[in-house]
Amino acid sequence: QVQLVESGGGLVQAGGSLRLSCAASGSILSIDGMGWYRQGPGLQRDLVATFTSDGTTNYADSVKGRFTISRDNAKNTVYLQMNSLKPEDTAGYLCHARARISPLGFYAEAWGQGTQVTVSS
């Protein structure tokens, strides 16, 4: 009931910037939480930055001061501005959303397919 479409990944040199976008669509009444995770080869999926239902933002310590998450509620879209990128930021970045899909209080979660970010040294 919820679909996510990500864009904005790519190859960048260390110190460069990228901006990721994730748009949610489907039978969405409201977004409960939405944000970004990343997963490197053979590694676990880790939180990068997220919005909670009350608008609070959470960041991984490793990206604080470099990455900024923002959102457009009217478009059910979140953005991740990534500055001062480092080779260790290289990973697949996945969007996640939890949305209310029913007035009865039913929620749905979804993951995007992921967008690759590669930072060269």
Side-chain angles (χ1 to χ4, degrees):
Q1 294 97 335
V2 178
Q3 296 83 40
L4 301 176
V5 177
E6 301 141 327
S7 62
L11 173 65
V12 65
Q13 289 188 328
S17 298
L18 285 173
R19 188 187 191 219
L20 307 183
S21 300
C22 175
S25 62
S27 304
I28 297 171
L29 297 182
S30 62
I31 298 291
D32 187 54
M34 195 167 178
W36 294 93
Y37 292 73
R38 66 187 180 187
Q39 187 168 19
L43 300 176
Q44 66 181 22
R45 187 172 296 178
D46 292 324
L47 179 148
V48 177
T50 62
F51 274 108
T52 61
S53 58
D54 64 357
T56 302
T57 55
N58 293 310
Y59 291 93
D61 289 341
S62 60
V63 308
K64 286 180 180 177
R66 300 188 297 123
F67 291 11
T68 302
I69 189 169
S70 61
R71 63 183 180 179
D72 184 332
N73 290 332
K75 297 180 179 179
N76 288 333
T77 299
V78 292
Y79 307 94
L80 185 67
Q81 178 66 45
M82 304 185 293
N83 298 328
S84 301
L85 282 160
K86 305 175 180 180
E88 52 263 42
D89 294 318
T90 295
Y93 283 69
L94 301 104
C95 183
H96 173 266
R98 184 174 185 267
R100 188 180 181 191
I101 59 171
S102 164
L104 299 178
F106 292 104
Y107 289 81
E109 293 193 48
W111 287 93
Q113 291 189 330
T115 184
Q116 180 66 30
V117 171
T118 302
V119 184
S120 62
S121 57

